[in-house]
Amino acid sequence: MRIYDALTAGRLHVETGDVLETIFSPEARHHRSSQPLSDGPAGARQLYLELQTCLPGVVATVKRTVSDDEFVAMHWHASTDPRDEFSGESWCEFFRFVGDQVAEHWQLHVAVPSSTVSGRSVFSDAYHRTHGTGYGEAAMTAINREVASAAFARFIEFDHTVVADHWGEVYLQHNETIPDGPEAIRRSLEEIGGLPDEFRPSFTVVATVAEGDLVWFLERVRVGNQTGLGVDILRLVDRRIVEHGTSRRSDRVPSMLGSDMTITLP
């Protein structure tokens, strides 16, 4: 959170002694789907200053966070008008801590779509639970991680039968092109699974983080000879997936299942 406060206040231009120097270790590795960054605080500073150059006066508005063991993941809105959730860029960042400093950092961002099929922004939380799960927070997180991981392993292999096994009757999207409901995502999986190998994306999960009813997946994505990063966020209620957000780095890897931005959700 200190990073985004400093970014909004324009305090990340100092080469020594700024907040990045205390948060990132000198050897911290940065992974992003476009051009590489230098290790350590310098690479993080380059990343955020690039954003300030592209969006002068940018405001960083954190929409959701998750903390899970050594990982912290953030989904946030970069915009000069934070009240307009259909403006600016959607960012997703994963930080892996060793001790009290970041040792590894993954980042991807895309332009916020001007519209979605559902009319929801990529930042909104649309699903509202109408009844309790009967589990405590820690138990719910563990169950959701297990169920979501099993479902996602089949999802990224484009097994369309996974939808009947793990999706809820109510299923909400924040996508430019894919509407609500399990049938739409089932059709998408079936269509993509039938593509020739050179056009069908492949996924390798880099990290899975979970807290409460949300499970986040950070992936390396390959289509042909192009590679990039992707993020999927699943919301689960009573062992069923009821909401989904996705992000693919659009200038490197086409989003075959549609794209929100860094996330969405969800």
Side-chain angles (χ1 to χ4, degrees):
M1 294 298 294
R2 291 165 57 203
I3 294 173
Y4 308 119
D5 289 344
L7 173 63
T8 298
R11 297 197 306 267
L12 295 181
H13 61 283
V14 181
E15 289 299 322
T16 59
D18 71 2
V19 65
L20 302 178
E21 297 287 339
T22 63
I23 292 175
F24 291 88
S25 77
E27 298 81 25
R29 294 186 59 199
H30 301 279
H31 309 270
R32 68 171 172 178
S33 34
S34 52
Q35 65 269 30
L37 297 167
S38 303
D39 291 344
R45 187 175 297 109
Q46 176 188 343
L47 173 68
Y48 300 123
L49 291 182
E50 286 175 2
L51 172 60
Q52 288 183 320
T53 299
C54 293
L55 291 175
V58 64
V59 175
T61 306
V62 174
K63 297 297 185 177
R64 58 184 50 84
T65 69
V66 60
S67 176
D68 185 358
D69 194 25
E70 62 185 352
F71 284 96
V72 173
M74 314 288 286
H75 180 208
W76 57 280
H77 183 202
S79 177
T80 57
D81 183 5
R83 297 168 298 179
D84 180 4
E85 291 192 341
F86 288 89
S87 69
E89 296 180 346
S90 177
W91 283 58
C92 192
E93 297 186 83
F94 283 67
F95 304 89
R96 185 178 69 84
F97 280 79
V98 173
D100 60 356
Q101 287 191 309
V102 174
E104 207 163 1
H105 171 221
W106 293 261
Q107 182 279 326
L108 67 162
H109 66 276
V110 298
V112 173
S114 59
S115 64
T116 62
V117 173
S118 68
R120 304 181 193 100
S121 79
V122 301
F123 302 109
S124 62
D125 290 298
Y127 188 89
H128 299 285
R129 185 183 294 114
T130 58
H131 57 280
T133 64
Y135 308 116
E137 185 77 6
M140 181 174 70
T141 296
I143 291 169
N144 288 340
R145 182 200 302 275
E146 179 181 0
V147 172
S149 295
F152 196 67
R154 294 169 60 187
F155 181 86
I156 60 178
E157 293 296 329
F158 310 111
D159 176 3
H160 62 88
T161 66
V162 70
V163 176
D165 293 338
H166 290 290
W167 262 246
E169 292 183 8
V170 174
Y171 174 60
L172 305 179
Q173 285 273 23
H174 302 250
N175 200 281
E176 289 180 82
T177 59
I178 299 180
D180 292 345
E183 179 58 22
I185 195 69
R186 190 203 64 77
R187 287 197 305 268
S188 293
L189 289 171
E190 187 173 21
E191 291 168 3
I192 296 165
L195 291 174
D197 290 346
E198 62 268 29
F199 299 114
R200 188 171 59 247
S202 63
F203 298 82
T204 301
V205 175
V206 176
T208 303
V209 297
E211 188 171 356
D213 61 356
L214 293 181
V215 182
W216 307 43
F217 295 95
L218 172 67
E219 316 113 30
R220 297 193 188 282
V221 191
R222 176 179 292 275
V223 180
N225 61 359
Q226 294 185 309
T227 60
L229 293 174
V231 173
D232 285 271
I233 301 178
L234 306 179
R235 171 168 277 121
L236 287 88
V237 173
D238 293 335
R239 299 176 179 262
R240 290 280 172 167
I241 296 166
V242 298
E243 195 168 9
H244 174 238
T246 181
S247 175
R248 308 281 179 258
R249 180 61 186 177
S250 58
D251 62 348
R252 298 297 296 274
V253 177
S255 178
M256 307 298 288
L257 293 178
S259 167
D260 289 353
M261 174 331 133
T262 232
I263 260 174
T264 183
L265 200 278

